[in-house]
Every structure is written in structure tokens, then in C-alpha cells.
């Protein structure tokens, strides 16, 4: 088939009839498939089952400082766990706080604290006369945008380039004192799989925002989540760059073991400057006596060190890589000649972004739903769920089995073809 853009109305009509027959074939199969969320599959979860055996009723549950992990205490996390998570995100243990099971919760917590009590002596955001403004590189992570929407912030789209957010725009917008922060997923971003270049990281570290309480929310969720041994993205460490730039307090950096061990039962951490750590721990001491140290100990005894984590990530990659490659092959096979879509080819992380050339993403997602395939709703990767081009569809290949993934890709590419052909036919 030639490029749809070059087809006559008659040719498009014939193509639509053919595609609708295929559509009916899939409809009669009563499928139930899901590519909506970036969840590890069962085989990935099984990789961490041995972690359940490192502690038992006769285990010594004292951490290396001699503290009994079963009891209260140790607000910011046990030292060996700080070291392990610090090594994962290249930060000294003194600049780490260990939390509970979710980094998203830590991000919410940081915004909530800034909103109710302010940042390092600045006015709390809830007492400002106007709503806080927040920069949102797009497409981005829907749950980030949900947090800033929940607090009533005005979210401003920042286009993503192939090397990170449009920094000219960021540098311009932070001259406004009401701009208090930016969401960043700097490595293998959700959903494009982009890694910020060294130049972009340096420009971030050198920002001079008008607001003293402006913070970069640096969500390093996919720091060690490579798909390949040889083709790995490199991300410059930002806290160190901030220090060099004389901006040590500018960044809150987040991570978790959600996609290393068990999402929901992993460990989350925040890394930041000494001053920020002090302020946050003061507030934390009101909130809790300490998080789950037994889980911290369990993770450390399972991995031992960063090498242990890297070995585990290779096992994850062995499961994930064929899934990513299957999706990319199917897209190539079914879409590349037609010039109706393009897509990202990440070296890591959990997502592939598919972009429809025509504004049909919401119709594609609806068709897929009708055929039994659940996708992330169109627009999810944009603040307020508004994709200005109705183009982006986030693909999460990790959860379905390979056979299901192939059928899911057939349905998805069929729907992209059908909706693109219909759009072009109606606009001829
Ligand atoms: C960029 C990003 N940050 C955070 C999370 C959630 O992390 P956690 O399980 O630590 O809350 C996800 C999950 O998909 C994610 O993609």
C-alpha cells in the first residue's frame, strides 16, 4: 500500500472497507488485552522472590549500626540502604532520605509541604495571591500532572526535544516568580524514553529562577533500567552539577526500587542538598517515627551492592527487550510505508511513544478499547489530558505476554490505519 496522504478518495475508500473487515474479525475474538500501565510482568516479579528468603524468623535483624530494625527509630533510613540507593542514583548517602514504598508519594509530599509550609523560609504556596505555575515537559508522566492539577497549579507545557525539554523556554519562563517548579524524568523518560543531554543537564543546574523556592523535581525513576548491554544512555549527575554552579538547593531528586524489585513493596528515596535534607527531616519527624526498616534491610541483604542491582537489571532487560523489539517490529512492518505515524525507539525505561500524523489518537484508543485492548487514554501524557495535536499514544509493553503483545500491536496498528484513512478520506 502506498502512503495514505498520496491516495485518492476512491483508494482510501477501498482501504477503509478492507480495514473494517479486519476490524470485525478482531471484534468477534472477544479479546481482553492491556497495554495501559508500565507494570512489570509476573516473570519480572519472580526475579525478586529470593528476597523473601533473605530474612526469616531466625535472622539477625540488626542493621550495621547495631540498631534493631524491628523497632522504632532511624528517621531517614538505615545507613546501608542509603548507600545502596545512593549508589543507584550516584549521590552520597548523607544526601539521601529513605522513605516508604513509593517515590510518587515522596513527590506529592514535597509539593504538599511546600504548599502548606513553604520552602526554606519562603512564603507557603497556599498563602500566595495567585496560583503557582508549574512547568511540564510534554509528553510526560500522567501521575506527575495529576499531582500539580490536584493542588490547583497552572501547568505550562514545555515541548520535549530529542535531548530533553526546550531549555530556551524554561530559561525564559523561570523569570516569573510564580513559576515554582518543573517535572523532569531525565532518563528513559515516560513516555518517550528520552535521556537529557549533558548540555541540557548543565543548563538545568545553572538556572537562576526568580523564585527562591523554585525546585526541579528530578524523577530518576529509570536510572538503571537499560534494555541493552552496549547501547546505554548516559545521564550527567545533576546534584553535583548544581553544586558546581553555586545552586546546591535547586533540585529534589527521586528514585525507587519499584521496577527493580516489587512495585508497591519496594523502597523510595529522595536525594538533595544538606540544607534541603535538614528542612525535610524536620518536617518528617512530625509525620512519622520512621519508615519500614525491615524492608530496607531485606533489599540490602538481597542485592548486597550496586553490582547486585545491575545483575538484576540485566535479568529484567532479558525479559523486557524482546517485548520492546516485538512492538517496534510490528510498528515497522505495519506502519512504516504508510507515513501515518512515527514512534520512539528507547534504549531503556518502560515506554514507547507512538505519534499519529493525523489528529486521531483518541479515536484509535477508542477503537482499541472496542476490540478489547486497553491503552492509556489519549491525552494522558499532557496536563489536563489535553494533547494539542491528538497525536500521542503511550505504549507500555512490559506486562502482556509476547503472544498477547503481538495481537495487541496488530489491533493497535490496524486502528491507527483505519482512523488515519478515515480522517484523510473525510478531509479530502
Ligand atoms: C516516571 C515515573 N516516576 C514514578 C513512577 C512511580 O514510582 P513509584 O512506584 O516509586 O511511586 C513511575 C511509574 O510508572 C514513573 O514512570
Amino acid at each position: 500500500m502506498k502512503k495514505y496522504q498520496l491516495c485518492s478518495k476512491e483508494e482510501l475508500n477501498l482501504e477503509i472497507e478492507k480495514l473494517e473487515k479486519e476490524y470485525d474479525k478482531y471484534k468477534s475474538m472477544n479479546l481482553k488485552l492491556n497495554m495501559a500501565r508500565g507494570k512489570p510482568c509476573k516473570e519480572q516479579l519472580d526475579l525478586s522472590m529470593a528476597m523473601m528468603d533473605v530474612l526469616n524468623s531466625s535472622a539477625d535483624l540488626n542493621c550495621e549500626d547495631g540498631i534493631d530494625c524491628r523497632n522504632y527509630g532511624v528517621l531517614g533510613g538505615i545507613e546501608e540502604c542509603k548507600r545502596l540507593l545512593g549508589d543507584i542514583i550516584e549521590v552520597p548517602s548523607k544526601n539521601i532520605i529513605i522513605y516508604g514504598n513509593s517515590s510518587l508519594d515522596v513527590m506529592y509530599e514535597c509539593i504538599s509541604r511546600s504548599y502548606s509550609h513553604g520552602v526554606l523560609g519562603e512564603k507557603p504556596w497556599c498563602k500566595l495571591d495567585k496560583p503557582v505555575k508549574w512547568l511540564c515537559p510534554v509528553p510526560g508522566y500522567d501521575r506527575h500532572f495529576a499531582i500539580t492539577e490536584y493542588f490547583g497549579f497552572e501547568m505550562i507545557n514545555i515541548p520535549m526535544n530529542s535531548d530533553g525539554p526546550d531549555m530556551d523556554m524554561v530559561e525564559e519562563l523561570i523569570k516569573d516568580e510564580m513559576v515554582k517548579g518543573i517535572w523532569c524524568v531525565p532518563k528513559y523518560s515516560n513516555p518517550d524514553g528520552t535521556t537529557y543531554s549533558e548540555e541540557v543537564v548543565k543548563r538545568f543546574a545553572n538556572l537562576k529562577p526568580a523564585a527562591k523556592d523554585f525546585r526541579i523535581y528530578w524523577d530518576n525513576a529509570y536510572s538503571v533500567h537499560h534494555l541493552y548491554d552496549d547501547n546505554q544512555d548516559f545521564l550527567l549527575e545533576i546534584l553535583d552539577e548544581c553544586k558546581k554552579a553555586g545552586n546546591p538547593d535547586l533540585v529534589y531528586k527521586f528514585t525507587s526500587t519499584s521496577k527493580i524489585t516489587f512495585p508497591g513493596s519496594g523502597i523510595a528515596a529522595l536525594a538533595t542538598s544538606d540544607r534541603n535534607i535538614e528542612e525535610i527531616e524536620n518536617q518528617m519527624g512530625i509525620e512519622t517515627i520512621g519508615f519500614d526498616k525491615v524492608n530496607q534491610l531485606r533489599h540490602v541483604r538481597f542485592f548486597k551492592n550496586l553490582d547486585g542491582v545491575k545483575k538484576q537489571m540485566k535479568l529484567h532487560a532479558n525479559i523486557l527487550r524482546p517485548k520492546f523489539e516485538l512492538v517496534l517490529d510490528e510498528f515497522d512492518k505495519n506502519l512504516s510505508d504508510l507515513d501515518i505515524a512515527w514512534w520512539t525507539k528507547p534504549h531503556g525505561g518502560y515506554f514507547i511513544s507512538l505519534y499519529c500524523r493525523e489528529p486521531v489518537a483518541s479515536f484509535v484508543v477508542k477503537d482499541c478499547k472496542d476490540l478489547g485492548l486497553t491503552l492509556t487514554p489519549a491525552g494522558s501524557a499532557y496536563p489536563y489530558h489535553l494533547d494539542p495535536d491528538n497525536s500521542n499514544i503511550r505504549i507500555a509493553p512490559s506486562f502482556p505476554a509476547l503472544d498477547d503483545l503481538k495481537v495487541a500491536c496488530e489491533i493497535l496498528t490496524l486502528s491507527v490505519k483505519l482512523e488515519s484513512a478515515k480522517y484523510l478520506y473525510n478531509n479530502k
Side-chain angles (χ1 to χ4, degrees), residues 163-363:
D163 64 345
D166 179 336
M167 291 309 291
D168 289 343
M169 201 168 161
V170 172
E171 285 161 357
E172 192 52 39
L173 287 167
I174 55 150
K175 292 176 185 164
D176 177 351
E177 217 184 344
M178 289 312 294
V179 173
K180 301 292 188 190
I182 181 168
W183 290 120
C184 292
V185 184
K187 194 162 182 184
Y188 301 135
S189 69
N190 176 351
D192 279 355
T194 302
T195 298
Y196 296 7
S197 69
E198 288 194 36
E199 191 206 327
V200 164
V201 176
K202 284 188 175 155
R203 285 176 77 175
F204 265 117
N206 281 279
L207 287 180
K208 293 279 178 247
K212 288 202 195 95
D213 47 359
F214 176 95
R215 291 290 179 272
I216 301 167
Y217 279 55
W218 198 254
D219 180 1
N220 209 354
Y222 300 113
S223 55
V224 286
H225 302 58
H226 309 286
L227 287 173
Y228 299 92
D229 280 347
D230 45 353
N231 217 345
Q232 300 189 345
D233 290 1
F234 167 76
L235 176 70
L236 200 59
E237 203 293 298
I238 189 148
L239 288 179
D240 207 30
E241 291 303 312
C242 286
K243 227 179 186 172
K244 286 188 216 156
N247 263 341
D249 303 328
L250 191 61
V251 172
Y252 295 150
K253 183 170 175 178
F254 307 91
T255 195
S256 79
T257 65
S258 285
K259 283 153 187 180
I260 298 175
T261 56
F262 299 142
S265 305
I267 293 169
L270 166 71
T272 189
S273 68
D274 298 345
R275 278 179 86 208
N276 288 338
I277 291 267
E278 190 186 344
E279 172 178 57
I280 293 168
E281 284 197 336
N282 281 339
Q283 176 259 331
M284 257 178 94
I286 310 286
E287 177 188 350
T288 178
I289 308 172
F291 288 99
D292 181 349
K293 295 188 295 299
V294 173
N295 200 27
Q296 295 171 26
L297 199 61
R298 189 188 285 129
H299 275 71
V300 175
R301 295 217 178 137
F302 178 55
F303 287 121
K304 298 190 175 61
N305 51 37
L306 182 59
D307 276 344
V309 174
K310 286 185 177 163
K311 271 189 209 140
Q312 171 93 340
M313 296 319 290
K314 277 193 183 195
L315 301 176
H316 279 290
N318 290 342
I319 298 169
L320 287 173
R321 197 172 44 246
K323 297 189 177 189
F324 273 70
E325 289 180 348
L326 183 146
V327 172
L328 296 174
D329 285 349
E330 286 294 312
F331 285 179
D332 231 8
K333 194 172 77 193
N334 300 334
L335 297 175
S336 59
D337 290 343
L338 306 176
D339 200 20
I340 51 173
W342 71 95
W343 49 92
T344 57
K345 297 177 179 107
H347 300 149
Y350 264 69
F351 303 99
I352 294 169
S353 255
L354 175 70
Y355 291 89
C356 303
R357 179 181 161 135
E358 315 306 333
V360 294
S362 54
F363 305 109

Side-chain angles (χ1 to χ4, degrees), residues 77-107:
I78 62 174
E79 185 57 29
E80 53 265 57
C81 190
K82 286 186 181 186
R83 243 182 1 248
L84 180 68
L85 269 81
D87 286 347
I88 293 175
I89 53 166
E90 304 165 283
V91 171
S93 62
K94 77 175 178 56
N95 291 105
I96 290 251
I97 298 173
I98 305 289
Y99 282 76
N101 66 335
S102 158
S103 62
L104 196 69
D105 186 46
V106 185
M107 295 173 225

Side-chain angles (χ1 to χ4, degrees), residues 5-53:
Q5 289 267 344
L6 304 177
C7 289
S8 66
K9 220 164 162 157
E10 292 68 36
E11 285 171 319
L12 283 170
N13 196 24
L14 283 174
E15 179 72 357
I16 291 168
E17 279 175 13
K18 191 187 96 193
L19 295 168
E20 279 176 340
K21 280 199 191 114
E22 272 186 67
Y23 188 96
D24 290 342
K25 185 189 88 189
Y26 283 109
K27 180 119 182 138
S28 66
M29 288 164 76
N30 290 322
L31 295 163
K32 199 166 178 299
L33 303 165
N34 195 318
M35 288 207 294
R37 302 251 39 124
K39 288 201 303 194
C41 62
K42 180 182 179 304
E43 293 75 17
Q44 287 180 269
L45 300 176
D46 287 345
L47 296 174
S48 299
M49 280 312 284
M51 193 172 68
M52 295 290 95
D53 301 329

